[in-house]
Amino acid sequence: MGEDRREGTAPTADLLLVNERLLLADLRERELAEDARRLAAALEHRALHDALTDLPNRMLFTDRLEQALVDARREGATVALLFLDLDRFKAVNDRLGHQAGDLLLRQVAAHLRGALREADTLARLYGDEFAVLLPGDDANAAAGAARALLRALAAPCLLQGQPEYVEASIGIAVYPAHGADAAALLRQADAAMYLAKRTRGGYAVAGFGEGQRHPHPAGTGPDSGTAAVAGPTSAGGAPVAPVGAELRAVNERLLLAGLREQELADQLRHQLAFTGAIVGNLGEGVCALDRAGRISFANPAAERLLGRAEAALLERRWDEVVYGGRVDDCPPLAAIRAGATMHADDDRFARPDGGSFAAAYTAAPIVAADAVVGAAVVFRDITERRRAEAERAALTARVEAALAFRTRFLSITAHELRSPLTALKGYAQLLLRQARDGGDDRLLRSLARIDAQAGRMARLIDDLAEAPRIESDGLTLDAHPLALRALLEETVAEVGATAPEFALRVRVEGGAAAAVWVRADRARLQQVLTNLLTNAVKYSGARREVAITLRQDGARALVAVADHGIGIPAAQQAAVFEPYVRAANATAGNYGGLGLGLFISKAIVDRHEGTLTLVSEEGRGSTFTLALPLLAAAGEAPGR
Ligand code: ADP
């Protein structure tokens, strides 16, 4: 029966059953397989990725690097490798605990990943160290990526709701420039990162200490054959403008000189930032000296000026290079000993060809961690400057000799002219007296004219002798309280006697006090007044009216001499106070004169702390106004 049933129903049921079983088995098997695959994948992933950030780990990174190098070798392409290390991450860990540290690392990983291309590999090697593989990138592109990474880190991470800022240092190595295999490249990138960290420069390209030449990142200047520290990182983590190639080179040399500690490097960075502007100046030679005065760096200008390649300068004592022997007290060595900046304006540096050049320089101590670790010497060739100075000195000497000769010549001439003139004047006055007695009017007038002309000639001679002396030494005064009105009236009378047709007289305006006291050198002040009055008479032309007024204006006494004569062209009004300057209309009109009177008058008035001003219009006349401080205003009573 059972068979029947089996025959009748079993095949289908069994079939179904088997089918079901098979399906189930298959399903389970597939599930199992899937599980196994998942497990395998998870295991593989775990083996190749970092558990904390899920980024590729060192193993996977190295593998991808090897593969990228194989490809690059075959295609003649480049591969860039970046080493990134967080600055002071340990401090965050200590401060906030490991959990917060882990959280921070995860956020950092996300920020970094976001700054990279799909094809780039970002790996966490261990701790706070990351690496980036940039297939096909050269140093320029890698520097660009480094900047992008630093920028990405400028965004804050959030820890317990508080913003936390992290900074990083990045080292860059590029295949094939910095190494042929993965191990060499990793070493180079690590060393460059170390340099960036020491200089807090943000990022650095490998090559220092290897003497390798390599292209620099865009905008970081010419190849110095050394490490390039570009874009020092600002407080917020964003790179600021890169410093000059020279500065970077000094940076590196000084680092190599043994300044490995973080604090030392920090101080050095400040020092270098400070001297960066000088170092970057291409025309000047820059040498860094170590504590013993040995050259540890020389820029191209220093090589050129000293006539030696850097290799021939390094490790040699500064004094032996520039003086050819020991000079223990030379300024750069003194700067190192004293820790003070030294200048020298008048030195000579030797060249290997036996020649030398005039040099000026500054030697500044390099201080790190409160100790002088060397000096930076910035120098230049001042041969040209010296030559120009010598030429100028020779020229000045010649001009001075000519001026001295002129002064001597004029004073001898004046002296020689004065004696016969005095005699002439004496005889004229004697004859005048006799003629008065004889009542001969014509003779009297002729003699008066001789006397006046002799007087005028004497004044010209005095001016001639005096002007050069005033120009070189100024004036000395013998000043006393003086009644200005009396002096003015006396002078007007004297000048009036030689020009009776002018009927000169003084008008006292605005209730000026009877005397009007000033402190003055009588003879000098009279010289000024005589000059103004004789000029007014001389340049009056046909209109024989000269107005002389005396008045007080606040704390000043004013004497104005106004004529209606030829006037002074506007363009020459300032110049007539210069020595030997005469206005065009004075020379054209054949009015005699030397052009010295106003120059001397102005010098005298200046020494009295007064002013001499001019208002004039050509063809209409001139008004000269002399202003002097009143004695009372100066706090002095008359008669002292
Ligand atoms: P000078 O011996 O030539 O008169 P000054 O130094 O006294 O020398 O004057 C300089 C120049 O100023 C004169 O040559 C003349 O051109 C001009 N000057 C001075 N005073 C007068 C005036 N009152 N009227 C017109 N020109 C004058």
Side-chain angles (χ1 to χ4, degrees):
M1 284 275 293
E3 285 203 10
D4 279 343
R5 202 184 45 163
R6 238 183 329 234
E7 273 174 282
T9 56
T12 326
D14 282 348
L15 194 61
L16 279 172
L17 194 70
V18 170
N19 206 6
E20 200 179 9
R21 284 209 182 115
L22 276 173
L23 268 171
L24 278 173
D26 182 51
L27 211 67
R28 263 207 306 280
E29 205 177 272
R30 272 207 262 170
E31 263 173 17
L32 273 177
E34 188 59 38
D35 281 350
R37 260 203 301 279
R38 264 207 292 272
L39 191 65
L43 283 172
E44 194 193 2
H45 188 91
R46 182 68 61 81
L48 296 175
H49 288 79
D50 164 42
L52 180 68
T53 61
D54 206 35
L55 291 174
N57 65 8
R58 177 178 280 270
M59 194 191 281
L60 178 56
F61 185 81
T62 315
D63 191 53
R64 288 199 187 160
L65 174 61
E66 305 269 22
Q67 190 52 52
L69 289 174
V70 170
D71 294 346
R73 252 175 241 125
R74 192 182 54 236
E75 290 157 23
T78 54
V79 176
L81 170 65
L82 267 55
F83 243 64
L84 184 148
D85 191 280
L86 299 186
D87 296 335
R88 293 181 301 282
F89 176 69
K90 191 176 168 306
V92 177
N93 247 348
D94 292 348
R95 186 157 45 89
L96 303 170
H98 284 280
Q99 261 184 335
D102 286 351
L103 200 63
L104 189 70
L105 283 174
R106 269 199 217 110
Q107 296 186 37
V108 164
H111 285 171
L112 294 176
R113 186 61 255 183
L116 294 166
R117 297 168 300 195
E118 200 54 45
D120 303 334
T121 300
L122 169 68
R124 176 171 175 241
L125 302 187
Y126 42 72
D128 59 347
E129 254 188 36
F130 296 82
V132 183
L133 177 65
L134 305 167
D137 273 4
D138 60 11
N140 272 332
R147 286 194 291 270
L149 290 170
L150 292 172
R151 265 198 304 279
L153 287 184
C157 298
L158 279 179
L159 289 183
Q160 290 142 16
Q162 295 297 313
E164 189 72 38
Y165 290 92
V166 279
E167 290 179 21
S169 301
I170 300 177
I172 301 173
V174 178
Y175 168 85
H178 303 128
D181 56 28
L185 289 169
L186 284 164
R187 253 198 329 273
Q188 290 282 334
D190 192 33
M193 186 277 292
Y194 185 73
L195 173 66
K197 205 178 252 313
R198 289 294 165 270
T199 55
R200 305 200 57 209
Y203 65 92
V205 179
F208 85 87
E210 305 283 312
Q212 288 169 339
R213 302 243 156 213
H214 60 79
H216 276 261
T220 61
D223 191 352
S224 60
T226 54
V229 178
T233 311
S234 69
V240 298
V243 291
E246 309 281 6
L247 178 57
R248 289 196 303 277
V250 174
N251 212 352
E252 177 228 333
R253 295 289 177 203
L254 291 168
L255 277 169
L256 289 181
L259 307 175
R260 295 277 174 190
E261 298 307 312
Q262 180 70 51
E263 304 91 300
L264 292 193
D266 272 1
Q267 294 205 18
L268 181 61
R269 186 172 56 88
H270 287 124
Q271 190 89 21
L272 290 171
F274 179 68
T275 52
I278 307 168
V279 177
N281 191 333
L282 289 176
E284 291 174 319
V286 179
C287 283
L289 313 185
D290 67 13
R291 204 194 313 255
R294 286 183 304 252
I295 297 173
S296 57
F297 164 76
N299 74 344
E303 292 180 308
R304 182 170 43 76
L305 290 168
L306 297 173
R308 295 170 206 258
E310 192 184 24
L313 292 168
L314 292 184
E315 295 301 317
R316 295 195 51 196
R317 265 180 63 127
W318 169 260
D319 45 351
E320 280 170 359
V321 168
V322 302
Y323 305 122
R326 292 234 163 184
V327 183
D328 284 321
D329 57 353
C330 68
L333 300 186
I336 296 172
R337 269 197 306 278
T341 299
M342 304 277 176
H343 302 280
D345 217 12
D346 196 17
D347 209 339
R348 285 204 85 78
F349 288 174
R351 271 199 259 263
D353 60 9
S356 67
F357 65 96
Y361 58 93
T362 299
I366 298 172
V367 180
D370 291 335
V372 177
V373 296
V377 190
V378 181
F379 60 99
R380 63 178 177 279
D381 183 345
I382 53 163
T383 309
E384 275 311 308
R385 195 178 89 195
R386 283 273 172 277
R387 189 174 300 146
E389 279 169 0
E391 267 171 26
R392 196 180 57 201
L395 228 91
T396 310
R398 270 169 55 195
V399 169
E400 271 167 5
L403 286 174
F405 174 76
R406 188 187 71 174
T407 307
R408 217 170 48 247
F409 169 79
L410 287 175
S411 89
I412 292 169
T413 311
H415 180 76
E416 289 303 315
L417 289 173
R418 228 182 259 123
S419 336
L421 203 60
T422 313
L424 193 69
K425 228 171 146 359
Y427 284 117
Q429 278 165 5
L430 181 71
L431 287 174
L432 255 174
R433 273 199 298 280
Q434 288 171 1
R436 269 191 207 110
D437 297 343
D440 182 341
D441 273 0
R442 263 190 61 202
L443 183 63
L444 208 61
R445 273 203 302 282
S446 303
L447 285 171
R449 215 158 279 153
I450 290 175
D451 184 41
Q453 291 300 332
R456 190 174 155 231
M457 204 163 167
R459 278 198 301 279
L460 286 175
I461 289 166
D462 286 346
D463 285 358
L464 259 185
E466 190 160 60
R469 275 206 301 275
I470 292 178
E471 268 180 305
S472 56
D473 310 329
L475 269 171
T476 46
L477 293 186
D478 181 17
H480 300 280
L482 175 143
L484 182 57
R485 181 171 175 181
L487 181 70
L488 180 60
E489 304 224 319
E490 179 189 322
T491 314
V492 167
E494 266 172 31
V495 176
T498 62
E501 65 278 24
F502 277 83
L504 300 179
R505 44 177 209 91
V506 179
R507 205 171 70 221
V508 179
E509 276 183 357
V516 187
W517 289 90
V518 293
R519 169 175 278 276
D521 181 319
R522 189 175 202 285
R524 288 302 195 182
L525 189 53
Q526 185 159 36
Q527 195 179 345
V528 174
L529 296 172
T530 305
N531 180 232
L532 298 182
L533 292 166
T534 50
N535 276 352
V537 165
K538 181 164 71 175
Y539 298 111
S540 263
R543 278 195 66 181
R544 314 208 140 178
E545 285 164 45
V546 171
I548 305 145
T549 50
L550 171 67
R551 64 193 158 92
Q552 273 179 237
D553 173 40
R556 300 182 311 163
L558 301 184
V559 176
V561 179
D563 64 62
H564 301 281
I566 64 172
I568 302 175
Q572 287 161 341
Q573 288 177 7
V576 291
F577 294 98
E578 302 289 325
Y580 306 104
V581 174
R582 312 197 64 218
N585 58 346
T587 25
N590 245 336
Y591 299 89
L594 290 172
L596 287 175
L598 285 179
F599 166 65
I600 295 171
S601 295
K602 176 126 185 5
I604 294 171
V605 174
D606 284 349
R607 286 287 285 116
H608 282 86
E609 268 146 38
T611 55
L612 182 57
T613 50
L614 160 67
V615 177
S616 181
E617 197 181 327
E618 191 176 8
R620 302 196 71 112
S622 314
T623 302
F624 283 87
T625 305
L626 161 69
L628 291 174
L630 280 169
L631 198 52
E636 289 184 52
R640 230 199 261 169

